[in-house]
Amino acid sequence: MPRRGTPCDWLRGESGRLGEVSRDLRGALARPRPALLRPQVLGAGGGPERRGPEVVPAARRNGPVFRRCSALDVVLGTRLVMASELCKTISEAKLERHKNLFLNYRNLHHFPLELLKDEGLQYLERLYMKRNSLTTLPENLAQKLPNLVELYLHSNNIVVVPEAIGSLVKLQFLDLSDNALEIVCPEIGRLRSLRHLRLANNQLKYLPAEVGDLRELQTLDISTNRLITLPERLHMCLSLQYLTADRNHLWYVPRHLCQLPSLNELSMAGNRLAFLPLDLGRSRELQYVYVDNNIHLKGLPSYLYNKVIGCSGCGSPIQVSEVKLLSFSSGQLTVFLPAEVKSIGTETDHVLPLQELAMRTLYNTYYVYLKDLNFLTPISLPKSLLELLHCPLGHCHRCSQPMFTIVYPKLFPLRETPMAGLHQGRTTVSFVAYCCSTQCLQTFDLLS
């Protein structure tokens, strides 16, 4: 026999165990049902009879469906079915002591209370809640999910990382990408087991200094935020291997980052960098550096010599100025200056560091002519510079001029070089040659 009443009536009765329905939706279902019109009966001549339609009271309606469900009924029915499935999924996870729980694409606006009832899910290790509409996390999250190792909250509407997150002492992977984060609480530094932290595509303007307390952290992705600077204590993340800070508002790279012993890949493309620390790249572990699309960046530290570099869209060609700007005179003496000095005093161009100019002058004066640098003691020159002076970090591919602190990379399309496969799609340009000045940079041709 067919069920009596509408499918919505039956669904509401079947879903009564889910708890109270919201006031608005329950009121919508409680509205009086309109009476239906009985279909017209054909007369003897084939046309409809002229008698008026008979009103059929709602109480006399039995059997199959006599009215269409409204759009509101359909929405409610869908939500009730999803809620029923959610309860079933969580109940099974509790009974069978699941270690993984997938709650992606559930249209969740609040953290499911079923997860936090009774003893919670004591055995759960991985919780997937991607692409929902969550705005916050419960304060007792760690109490109810004490063994959580991985938490995936990608693509929600979370604004603040609450203090309670710091109590998940076993957490190793935290993904909060594509949310609305404006603040990361300092308590995140208590996650001493954390290895992978993803905060990309949010609204962060700063990171707490406590991020530096994450000694086991291996991957940090903070790309596409509003960061102006990075915390100085970040260099204390001794296990950090991959740092991605693309598309922020960073003006400089903290020199302390050069001390990271395990850093293998640094990506800071699409920022406002004008220079990089001169000792960046001294670590043998650092092999990949991507600084593409930093329009003010014109030179690279020579320690990045022979690393895999992505720097397409950086800088702009320096135009040769008038000769009178390339020299100065004092009496009968005329001294010609490097082409870079022409831009001194402007805000849009940068010159070689004074340290580089001094090192080249000393090298050319004492080594080229006297072939002896031993008489330069640490008293006349700091030991660090003296050691560097004895062994330049590279030589210009165009004129063989020694380079000590900074180099100018020469752009060549990847398809024209044997390094075409190294970048794996990360950049369209590879720096395979280095020059000591913009003059060499403009005249050097790899293929000639």
Side-chain angles (χ1 to χ4, degrees), residues 326-337:
L326 300 181
S327 65
F328 69 91
S329 299
S330 176
Q332 297 180 350
L333 178 63
T334 299
V335 179
F336 290 90
L337 302 179

Side-chain angles (χ1 to χ4, degrees), residues 196-304:
H196 306 279
L197 177 59
R198 302 190 182 278
L199 301 171
N201 295 300
N202 281 286
Q203 307 295 321
L204 297 174
K205 294 183 179 180
Y206 70 93
L207 289 179
E210 286 74 10
V211 171
D213 297 334
L214 304 175
R215 303 300 172 84
E216 300 297 323
L217 191 65
Q218 299 175 8
T219 302
L220 176 60
D221 185 357
I222 48 177
S223 56
T224 316
N225 278 281
R226 300 178 180 180
L227 298 172
I228 299 176
T229 184
L230 299 177
E232 293 290 342
R233 285 169 56 183
L234 194 59
H235 75 280
M236 298 173 63
C237 298
L238 302 180
S239 301
L240 190 61
Q241 300 177 22
Y242 306 99
L243 174 57
T244 304
D246 300 337
R247 297 177 297 279
N248 280 279
H249 305 307
L250 299 171
W251 289 93
Y252 69 97
V253 178
R255 189 174 182 181
H256 292 315
L257 291 187
C258 302
Q259 303 174 15
L260 289 171
S262 304
L263 190 62
N264 178 262
E265 180 175 317
L266 174 65
S267 186
M268 303 187 73
N271 280 278
R272 302 174 181 178
L273 302 178
F275 63 93
L276 297 176
L278 294 180
D279 44 355
L280 182 65
R282 295 187 68 171
S283 169
R284 294 183 179 180
E285 294 298 323
L286 184 61
Q287 295 296 320
Y288 303 89
V289 177
Y290 299 99
V291 287
D292 306 69
N293 298 311
N294 284 277
I295 60 174
H296 299 297
L297 184 63
K298 295 179 173 62
L300 294 179
S302 55
Y303 278 114
L304 293 179

Side-chain angles (χ1 to χ4, degrees), residues 58-208:
R60 291 173 51 190
R61 275 180 276 153
N62 295 317
V65 177
F66 278 85
R67 74 178 181 91
R68 291 179 296 178
C69 292
S70 68
L72 185 61
D73 293 335
V74 173
V75 170
L76 175 62
T78 302
R79 289 183 177 178
L80 289 174
V81 170
M82 293 179 65
S84 177
E85 293 177 351
L86 177 65
C87 288
K88 181 179 179 181
T89 300
I90 296 176
S91 297
E92 290 180 354
K94 288 183 177 180
L95 289 174
E96 300 178 12
R97 298 182 176 181
H98 288 178
K99 292 186 176 181
N100 304 322
L101 181 58
F102 296 88
L103 299 179
N104 302 325
Y105 297 93
R106 297 286 184 139
N107 195 30
L108 299 175
H109 293 264
H110 304 284
F111 205 88
L113 296 178
E114 289 78 7
L115 278 174
L116 309 174
K117 287 181 178 179
D118 303 323
E119 296 182 356
L121 280 79
Q122 301 290 321
Y123 298 92
L124 193 66
E125 295 182 358
R126 297 171 186 85
L127 177 58
Y128 299 81
M129 302 185 72
K130 297 181 180 180
R131 299 196 178 278
N132 284 287
S133 299
L134 300 176
T135 58
T136 186
L137 299 177
E139 292 295 332
N140 59 343
L141 182 63
Q143 179 184 354
K144 298 299 183 180
L145 305 175
N147 293 304
L148 204 60
V149 175
E150 299 180 9
L151 178 57
Y152 298 87
L153 296 166
H154 186 287
S155 299
N156 280 276
N157 296 318
I158 300 174
V159 177
V160 178
V161 178
E163 297 179 3
I165 201 76
S167 300
L168 293 170
V169 293
K170 295 186 179 181
L171 197 64
Q172 297 182 12
F173 194 111
L174 177 59
D175 187 355
L176 283 162
S177 303
D178 286 286
N179 276 274
L181 289 179
E182 297 179 359
I183 297 176
V184 176
C185 63
E187 283 72 17
I188 198 169
R190 293 162 50 192
L191 300 176
R192 300 304 171 89
S193 300
L194 195 64
R195 296 182 179 180
H196 306 279
L197 177 59
R198 302 190 182 278
L199 301 171
N201 295 300
N202 281 286
Q203 307 295 321
L204 297 174
K205 294 183 179 180
Y206 70 93
L207 289 179

Side-chain angles (χ1 to χ4, degrees), residues 4 44 79 340:
R4 296 181 179 273
R79 289 183 177 178
E340 293 79 13

